[in-house]
Amino acid sequence: MRNISGWQLLAAVIFLAATLVFTVQLINPTPVVVSVGDNGSDVVEAGEQFRYTEVGIITVAAWLMGASMLYLVVSVERDTILTKPTTATSSAASSVGSDGAERSVHLEFADDTNSPVEQHRTQFNETTDRLDNTEREIYSMVLDADGEIQQRNIVANTDFSKATVTRTLDSLEAKGLLERKRQGVGNVVVLQETVSP
């Protein structure tokens, strides 16, 4: 579970408070009361109108709602990008220093093309051609979860029974696409390292 920063919590509180103020002000305009008669003894409600202060409050609340939501979306997206794991490959290169001595330099490059998820995505169409609908849906679900998902989440997020999911995972394991690993009291379903032909 991802940690929430103090600024994100503050933005969420501001968003909720602004939404509440906005909603209350919008549904409760001030009634306009008109006195009728010679001595003003008859009072008639002519309708409801927003006063300038209410319009100002609604405008500020709407602005705060938009700004806090924008901050939350941008900060969560930034955190997701910064914390996304990448696989790294390394290579060695040699360089000649100013004194003429050869030095070895260790370089690291991010390379997602060799990850199991990328291998499976590359061969997705030809792989899914040999799967039935249930297998295709579960296999796609694991791919969409970046190659790892709890088995109970598959059951919870599909219309398939627990037995159907288990049978389908058995079939996908036999085809060399997925494997189950024990994790606590349940199983986590992961992509196999190499895609079977």
Side-chain angles (χ1 to χ4, degrees):
M1 186 173 173
R2 200 176 61 77
N3 291 334
I4 297 175
S5 74
W7 289 108
Q8 289 171 334
L9 183 60
L10 178 63
V13 169
I14 289 172
F15 176 78
L16 291 174
T19 303
L20 179 67
V21 170
F22 180 84
T23 305
V24 168
Q25 286 295 321
L26 203 57
I27 61 175
N28 290 319
T30 304
V32 175
V33 178
V34 177
S35 297
V36 180
D38 293 337
N39 58 4
S41 60
D42 293 332
V43 176
V44 177
E45 188 172 306
E48 297 179 339
Q49 300 290 324
F50 289 105
R51 292 182 294 184
Y52 289 122
T53 54
E54 292 170 333
V55 171
I57 291 170
I58 290 171
T59 304
V60 170
W63 186 87
L64 286 172
M65 285 168 52
S68 59
M69 182 52 73
L70 179 65
Y71 174 78
L72 286 171
V73 169
V74 169
S75 66
V76 168
E77 186 67 28
R78 184 195 68 229
D79 290 350
T80 304
I81 290 170
L82 293 177
T83 59
K84 187 173 185 178
T86 58
T87 56
T89 58
S90 61
S91 63
S94 60
S95 65
V96 178
S98 59
D99 59 356
E102 188 173 320
R103 291 181 175 78
S104 178
V105 179
H106 184 73
L107 304 173
E108 290 196 8
F109 303 99
D111 185 14
D112 284 339
T113 58
N114 292 329
S115 72
V117 175
E118 289 306 314
Q119 289 175 2
H120 283 264
R121 284 188 177 143
T122 301
Q123 299 180 15
F124 179 78
N125 288 335
E126 60 191 64
T127 300
T128 56
D129 286 343
R130 58 189 174 103
L131 302 178
D132 65 32
N133 290 340
T134 307
E135 291 172 332
R136 190 176 301 115
E137 186 171 340
I138 291 176
Y139 179 61
S140 296
M141 184 179 261
V142 176
L143 270 176
D144 291 343
D146 287 332
E148 185 174 315
I149 189 171
Q150 294 285 335
Q151 184 171 341
R152 67 176 170 266
N153 291 346
I154 295 173
V155 175
N157 295 326
T158 61
D159 294 332
F160 305 135
S161 67
K162 194 173 181 180
T164 301
V165 169
T166 301
R167 259 192 324 273
T168 305
L169 289 174
D170 289 341
S171 173
L172 289 169
E173 276 186 305
K175 292 178 180 179
L177 297 172
L178 303 177
E179 61 182 312
R180 284 171 281 191
K181 296 180 179 178
R182 196 80 182 149
Q183 189 179 66
V185 294
N187 290 330
V188 62
V189 180
V190 296
L191 296 171
Q192 286 197 1
E193 291 296 318
T194 56
V195 182
S196 297

